[in-house]
Amino acid sequence: MDTVDSSLVAALRANGRASYAELGRLVGLSGPSIQERVRRLEERGVITGYRATVNPAALGLGLTALIGLVLSDSAGHEEVGARLEDVAEVEDCWFIAGDEAYMLKVRVADVEGLERLLGKLVRIEGVARTRTTLVISTRFEDRQIEPARSELVGR
């Protein structure tokens, strides 16, 4: 990635609905040049998609929790991970090092919804137990981070 690509990625992260012409004005290139660069960023997997950012509380999902999953000794983490894909309340799922094998970010309506979800999770074959942390408030989410310097060429 060069500095123009980095600028394009930053601009698209800030406004995924920006037109090629608007992006071109930001970085000093023509719309067709921008379209080609964006296509290459998509093909290389730098840009993986576009989405709307929504307020979970406005959707009735007012409770966020982080849930660590401890697997049984005989559990295969790939199989458990595949089963987690079917749990609609799981927004993010990370395979991690430590006591837990997976860390889940979940959103539910309320404490009763969390209790139902925890029951669903412990019934997944291979899950021995859970460890839950409730989110009281969110300082920031989906923060834009700068790419590692080694990822940029031509700076």
Side-chain angles (χ1 to χ4, degrees), residues 38-118:
V38 169
R39 183 188 60 75
R40 282 193 310 238
L41 289 166
E42 290 169 343
E43 286 175 353
R44 291 189 351 240
V46 175
I47 297 174
T48 58
Y50 303 87
R51 65 184 177 106
T53 303
V54 297
N55 177 351
L59 301 176
L61 302 172
L63 192 145
T64 303
L66 303 175
I67 303 173
L69 299 183
V70 176
L71 304 187
S72 63
D73 291 338
S74 61
H77 71 85
E78 290 292 334
E79 292 81 8
V80 173
R83 291 181 190 107
L84 291 170
E85 290 180 24
D86 296 330
V87 181
E89 297 88 346
V90 176
E91 183 173 296
D92 294 304
C93 174
W94 301 281
F95 180 61
I96 60 172
D99 292 336
E100 291 97 9
Y102 283 100
M103 181 61 64
L104 312 177
K105 177 180 171 186
V106 303
R107 297 200 192 259
V108 293
D110 50 29
V111 173
E112 290 80 17
L114 179 61
E115 184 177 10
R116 283 190 301 277
L117 173 60
L118 290 170

